[in-house]
């Protein structure tokens, strides 16, 4: 049996969670809503993150970007390597895919800023 302490990041309340893992059974305490329980269970079984960064644009600017959904935490460094290598061409609109299926995750890197 293993117990982990963590802070829920789903809302500004920042509930202090205690997560006990005993085989396939996961017990969560300290959450004030169901989202905290779901967050804690995901965090101990399959942690994921949204990655934010910038990509070089051909006109010399940089465009802010992010993964369209959370990726497995273990892929963050591989995704960042791909982002560092990427170049985009203007014009760019918010939501445009800049890197499709990054690192075979099935998730695109999308623009979060308009560039003319």
């Amino acid at each position: 049996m293993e117990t982990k302490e963590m802070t829920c990041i789903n809302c500004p309340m920042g509930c202090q969670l205690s997560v006990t893992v005993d085989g396939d059974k996961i017990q969560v305490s300290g959450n004030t809503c169901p989202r905290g329980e779901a967050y804690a269970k995901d965090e101990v079984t399959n942690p994921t993150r949204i990655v934010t960064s910038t990509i070089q644009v051909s006109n010399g600017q940089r465009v802010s970007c992010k993964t369209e959904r959370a990726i497995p935490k273990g892929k963050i460094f591989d995704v960042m390597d791909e982002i560092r290598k990427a170049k985009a061409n203007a014009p760019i609109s918010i939501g445009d895919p800049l890197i499709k299926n990054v690192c075979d995750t099935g998730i695109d890197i999308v623009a979060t800023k308009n560039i003319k």
Side-chain angles (χ1 to χ4, degrees):
M1 184 162 53
E2 178 184 2
T3 300
K4 293 185 177 190
E5 304 295 322
M6 64 182 66
T7 302
C8 181
I9 60 171
N10 275 310
C11 78
M13 287 185 64
C15 295
Q16 297 302 304
L17 307 176
S18 181
V19 185
T20 304
V21 180
D22 188 7
D24 291 340
K25 188 176 181 184
I26 301 171
Q27 293 279 56
V28 179
S29 62
N31 56 302
T32 56
C33 74
R35 292 186 318 168
E37 181 177 6
Y39 167 77
K41 287 180 177 180
D42 285 346
E43 192 62 19
V44 297
T45 60
N46 183 28
T48 61
R49 298 290 185 271
I50 298 284
V51 174
T52 61
S53 188
T54 61
I55 290 179
Q56 183 68 46
V57 179
S58 57
N59 65 7
Q61 297 183 60
R62 295 192 72 81
V63 62
S64 58
C65 62
K66 69 179 191 83
T67 53
E68 64 182 343
R69 294 186 315 276
I71 61 165
K73 189 175 175 183
K75 292 258 187 185
I76 290 173
F77 291 109
D78 295 335
V79 167
M80 284 305 301
D81 285 342
E82 292 301 310
I83 288 172
R84 278 195 269 308
K85 292 183 221 171
K87 295 212 183 289
N89 294 312
I92 299 168
S93 297
I94 293 173
D96 284 354
L98 303 173
I99 304 172
K100 293 189 179 211
N101 188 24
V102 67
C103 297
D104 295 320
T105 59
I107 297 169
D108 295 344
I109 302 294
V110 296
T112 59
K113 179 181 177 182
N114 293 321
I115 301 283
K116 294 184 180 191

